[in-house]
Amino acid sequence: MIDSLIWVMGLELASGATVRFGDFGTFCLTLKSKGVEPDEKFTAHKIKKARIRFTPGVNLLKEVRDVTFEPDDVKEVEAECDRPHTI
């Protein structure tokens, strides 16, 4: 069922539609592109990247509005790793 939802959402977002899930929130596609001069026409070739933006609904925002955080004890753990890490 989730696979079907993802498939349909992908189709709708790719067609330029906004997908609304009631009080949960809204999904829409945003695009990143190269800028063009006023006398140059914009084409799809200028688009660099597409991203999905999620905007939470009012009820979802209410659920997390009063969340509080408390410090937790941090435990240091030493571990060996067989491959190098980059940070």
Side-chain angles (χ1 to χ4, degrees):
M1 183 169 154
I2 296 294
D3 290 337
S4 296
L5 175 65
I6 292 169
W7 180 72
V8 171
M9 279 184 66
L11 291 175
E12 292 297 316
L13 292 170
S15 72
T18 298
V19 179
R20 291 182 183 86
F21 282 97
D23 293 336
F24 178 68
T26 304
F27 295 85
C28 66
L29 201 62
T30 62
L31 303 174
K32 182 177 181 179
S33 67
K34 292 182 178 180
V36 295
E37 294 295 324
D39 58 346
E40 187 180 348
K41 290 188 177 184
F42 182 83
T43 64
H45 292 90
K46 302 286 184 191
I47 298 173
K48 293 181 178 180
K49 186 185 287 188
R51 291 184 173 204
I52 298 172
R53 181 178 64 193
F54 173 70
T55 305
V58 173
N59 288 347
L60 182 56
L61 287 172
K62 285 179 185 177
E63 290 297 322
V64 298
R65 177 182 50 204
D66 298 325
V67 171
T68 59
F69 299 94
E70 296 178 18
D72 194 9
D73 291 334
V74 177
K75 297 177 184 176
E76 291 188 26
V77 177
E78 288 188 29
E80 291 186 25
C81 184
D82 55 349
R83 60 183 177 166
H85 288 80
T86 40
I87 298 176

